């Protein structure tokens, strides 16, 4: 673990040069999420019952008891991996992750989030120009056609940069409801976890949304992620459905639902916070 000086972190909009780095950061942060989601669905009682029924039918056709058990499970795993949102994507949305990573760098290139730690310390964050990665991937990105409609749908990606290195990122979905912001991905580099970086990214984005007139923020967390759940609870978020009569008191909550997978099982937990 590397000690990170939070007052030296600059949070800015992602640029085209950052795309490959951010994609690698997301892949690192989501490692194993898809497999845990598959295991979560496979171990649900109704799913186990369906697998048992198919195994019993298949046992009449296949002389091997092991094959009769393994074939339905194998086919279901393949089906889940094909139909489930990619682990390197944005859970809580049916759109592919490229619509976020590939499109959202467009906009105000110099736009940054305020860092509350730098105001407290009185120090000015020092930025270093990151090295540009050249190669075939840059050519592929430049040839990608991005329409204004796709750019609007993409939302925003904010990256946390310290001394020229991207150490974290947060995804904010495009506005679909007035006064509502949605966070669909929050990732910090493995060397900079438990240093307060995730809290800093979230707090800075919340401050920006509050100033822009938002009154509530939603965050989608992969269902098996105990770390993500504990983090959002720690920073003051409530899980959707844990407060009694919340739908009766607030009709807006009904518009936010978790991402559903096979047989309607939830893939995400939804957390919210009033600003």
């Amino acid at each position: 673990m590397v000690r990170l000086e939070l007052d030296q972190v600059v949070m800015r909009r992602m640029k085209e040069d950052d795309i490959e780095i951010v994609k690698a950061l997301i892949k690192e942060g989501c490692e194993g999420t898809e497999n845990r989601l598959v295991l979560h669905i496979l171990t649900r009682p109704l799913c186990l019952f369906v697998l048992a029924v198919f195994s019993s039918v298949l046992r009449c056709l296949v002389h091997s008891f092991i094959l009769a058990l393994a074939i339905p499970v194998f086919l279901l795993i393949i089906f889940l991996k094909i139909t489930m949102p990619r682990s390197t994507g944005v859970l809580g949305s049916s759109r592919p992750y490229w619509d976020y990573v590939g499109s959202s760098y467009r906009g105000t290139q110099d736009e940054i989030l305020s860092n509350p730690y730098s105001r407290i310390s009185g120090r000015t964050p020092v930025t270093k120009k990151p090295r540009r990665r050249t190669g075939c991937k840059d050519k592929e990105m430049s040839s990608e056609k991005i329409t204004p409609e796709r750019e609007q749908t993409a939302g925003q990606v904010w990256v946390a940069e310290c001394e020229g290195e991207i150490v974290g990122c947060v995804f904010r979905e495009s506005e679909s409801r007035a006064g509502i912001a949605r966070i669909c991905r929050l990732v910090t580099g493995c060397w900079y976890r438990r240093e307060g970086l995730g809290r800093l990214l979230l707090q800075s984005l919340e401050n920006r949304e509050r100033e822009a007139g938002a009154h509530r923020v939603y965050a989608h967390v992969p269902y098996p992620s105990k770390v993500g759940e504990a983090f959002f609870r720690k920073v003051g978020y409530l899980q959707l459905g844990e407060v009694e009569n919340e739908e009766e008191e607030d009709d807006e909550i009904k518009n936010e639902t978790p991402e559903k997978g096979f047989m309607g099982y939830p893939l995400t937990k939804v957390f919210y916070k009033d600003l």
Side-chain angles (χ1 to χ4, degrees), residues 26-27 30-34 84-89 91 185:
I26 296 170
K27 187 174 182 179
C30 302
E31 187 175 4
T33 299
E34 185 177 280
M84 186 179 296
R86 304 265 58 84
S87 62
T88 54
L91 291 171
R185 180 69 74 199

Side-chain angles (χ1 to χ4, degrees), residues 11-59:
M11 289 157 293
R12 58 172 177 79
R13 283 286 296 274
M14 184 180 69
K15 300 180 181 180
E16 185 174 8
D17 295 347
D18 306 325
I19 290 178
E20 292 303 317
I21 301 175
V22 171
K23 287 166 68 174
L25 189 65
I26 296 170
K27 187 174 182 179
E28 174 191 284
C30 302
E31 187 175 4
T33 299
E34 185 177 280
N35 292 333
R36 290 195 293 270
L37 283 171
V38 170
L39 181 61
H40 164 72
I41 294 177
L42 287 176
T43 53
R44 298 306 93 192
L46 183 57
C47 186
L48 290 174
F49 174 76
V50 172
L51 288 174
V53 171
F54 275 97
S55 295
S56 300
V57 174
L58 195 60
R59 183 69 180 86

Side-chain angles (χ1 to χ4, degrees), residues 20 133-143:
E20 292 303 317
R133 295 187 175 188
T134 58
C136 60
K137 290 184 178 180
D138 290 319
K139 296 179 181 178
E140 292 175 0
M141 288 186 296
S142 61
S143 63

Side-chain angles (χ1 to χ4, degrees), residues 150-168:
R150 181 176 174 182
E151 179 185 336
Q152 175 63 28
T153 302
Q156 302 169 358
V157 178
W158 298 85
V159 300
E161 181 182 276
C162 186
E163 296 183 351
E165 179 184 1
I166 294 178
V167 295

Side-chain angles (χ1 to χ4, degrees), residues 7 20-21 29 36 40 56 75 91 146 154 175 180 205 214 217 221-222 229 240 242 252 264:
D7 58 352
E20 292 303 317
I21 301 175
R36 290 195 293 270
H40 164 72
S56 300
L75 292 177
L91 291 171
I146 301 176
E175 295 182 9
I180 300 298
L205 185 58
V217 178
V221 178
E229 180 179 346
L240 197 66
E242 68 179 4
E252 201 283 323

